Amino acid sequence: MHLSVKLAPTFDYPTLEQFWRAADDLGFPAVWNYDHFYGLVDHADPTLEGWTTLAAMAVLVRRARVGCLVSGVTYRNPAVLAKMAVTVDHISGGRMDFGLGAGWHEAEHRGYGIDFPRPGTRVEMLDEALTVIRRLWTEESVTFAGRFFTLTDALCEPKPVQRPGPPIIVGAAQPKMLRVAARHADEWNMPSTSAQEWRAASSRLDVACAELGRDPSSIKRGVQLFLHPNRPEQVDAQLDSIAEYAQAGCAHVVLSFYQPPGDALLGRCAELL
């Protein structure tokens, strides 16, 4: 079982830096943030931008892999995002994982004037964006005329440190998104509901892979467990559930903290490694 940790950039920078360094020192194999502009519950919660904090994380975290779980496809042109990802991959020395999803936070789209299409359209955008990004990482130049994105002799130099590119993680639960994961993902991640629902979604991913002619075992399976350190009983229940996810075939658990964990809790989680 692969066990990593995540803290959203909704805390001041010294708190984030302390968490990143502690997680790295304790031996977690990966450290994550996320990509939003507003708070998830209270929109006014101070929130630092995900990719600039990820670049800082790539410098301060010396051993663990780093990544954003996940970015929203609607926020940036995919060619620009591909370039940003390559930059962080170089800053980290080839330790970056690339997470992308369809986006969901309508309020921040409306506030910033970013188009927020219907869910099906956002899924189609994600499919197209991942096609473009993979090509930019691997081809000398890219010309592409899609429904949503157009590139003309587009360059992406330098190429990523990791070849053919950083591992792609797709966050997905619904059937259309699972087909996108089956087509593009090196790893699939689903926010936790229950081990039973996770197992059912994993089975649907198997079906999507079969329909596309892909070996289901080529996609690593992961789950994101949300922990509230100010509610110890909730944390206990989530940590206890890890065994159920492992039995269901989950290979990677991301422990996502809603408040910064103290040293004792983070050390307790590290013991599960």
Side-chain angles (χ1 to χ4, degrees):
M1 171 67 71
H2 192 75
L3 190 70
S4 60
V5 290
K6 172 181 173 181
L7 186 65
T10 52
F11 304 96
D12 62 39
Y13 184 79
T15 299
L16 297 174
E17 180 178 339
Q18 181 179 4
F19 174 81
W20 300 337
R21 291 185 187 275
D24 197 31
D25 290 343
L26 286 167
F28 287 100
V31 186
W32 306 87
N33 69 356
Y34 74 19
D35 185 24
H36 284 287
F37 308 123
Y38 286 11
L40 300 190
V41 179
D42 183 349
H43 297 166
D45 281 345
T47 303
L48 297 177
E49 196 279 323
W51 275 90
T52 43
T53 53
L54 184 61
M57 188 196 304
V59 173
L60 293 171
V61 171
R62 305 303 301 175
R63 289 167 291 193
R65 298 185 66 80
V66 298
C68 187
L69 195 68
V70 291
S71 286
V73 70
T74 50
Y75 297 142
R76 303 169 189 85
N77 180 288
V80 174
L81 184 57
K83 190 75 169 180
M84 292 164 60
V86 168
T87 301
V88 176
D89 195 47
H90 278 262
I91 291 170
S92 69
R95 291 179 293 113
M96 194 202 75
D97 292 332
F98 180 76
L100 194 62
W104 62 269
H105 200 319
E106 183 173 2
E108 59 191 8
H109 288 78
R110 300 301 182 205
Y112 284 9
I114 301 170
D115 288 343
F116 188 68
R118 62 180 179 81
T121 300
R122 300 200 307 275
V123 173
E124 293 169 6
M125 290 175 65
L126 176 62
D127 194 5
E128 197 170 291
L130 287 169
T131 299
V132 165
I133 289 166
R134 183 84 79 175
R135 288 187 59 188
L136 284 164
W137 287 346
T138 57
E139 298 179 19
E140 183 176 345
S141 68
V142 177
T143 295
F144 180 88
R147 178 182 172 191
F148 306 103
F149 308 111
T150 300
L151 285 72
T152 304
D153 298 328
L155 306 177
C156 187
E157 296 294 341
K159 297 302 181 196
V161 174
Q162 302 176 85
R163 299 297 179 94
I168 291 175
I169 297 94
V170 173
Q174 300 304 316
K176 288 183 180 180
M177 281 291 293
L178 289 170
R179 283 185 65 84
V180 174
R183 184 174 292 113
H184 297 284
D186 299 297
E187 180 173 339
W188 161 67
N189 185 280
M190 175 178 164
S192 65
T193 50
S194 70
Q196 293 75 22
E197 291 191 21
W198 185 93
R199 186 196 298 269
S202 184
S203 296
R204 293 194 295 273
L205 179 58
D206 289 343
V207 172
C209 286
E211 291 173 351
L212 295 171
R214 182 171 181 185
D215 178 2
S217 68
S218 66
I219 301 178
K220 187 176 181 178
R221 312 297 171 102
V223 68
Q224 186 173 185
L225 297 183
F226 301 101
L227 278 66
H228 296 264
N230 61 359
R231 294 163 50 197
E233 71 290 345
Q234 189 270 346
V235 171
D236 292 344
Q238 290 289 69
L239 295 181
D240 288 345
S241 74
I242 291 175
E244 296 178 59
Y245 284 100
Q247 293 169 1
C250 182
H252 180 195
V253 173
V254 179
L255 301 177
S256 181
F257 295 98
Y258 265 67
Q259 299 89 36
D263 292 342
L265 176 55
L266 199 59
R268 175 187 171 192
C269 294
E271 291 175 1
L272 300 175
L273 292 168

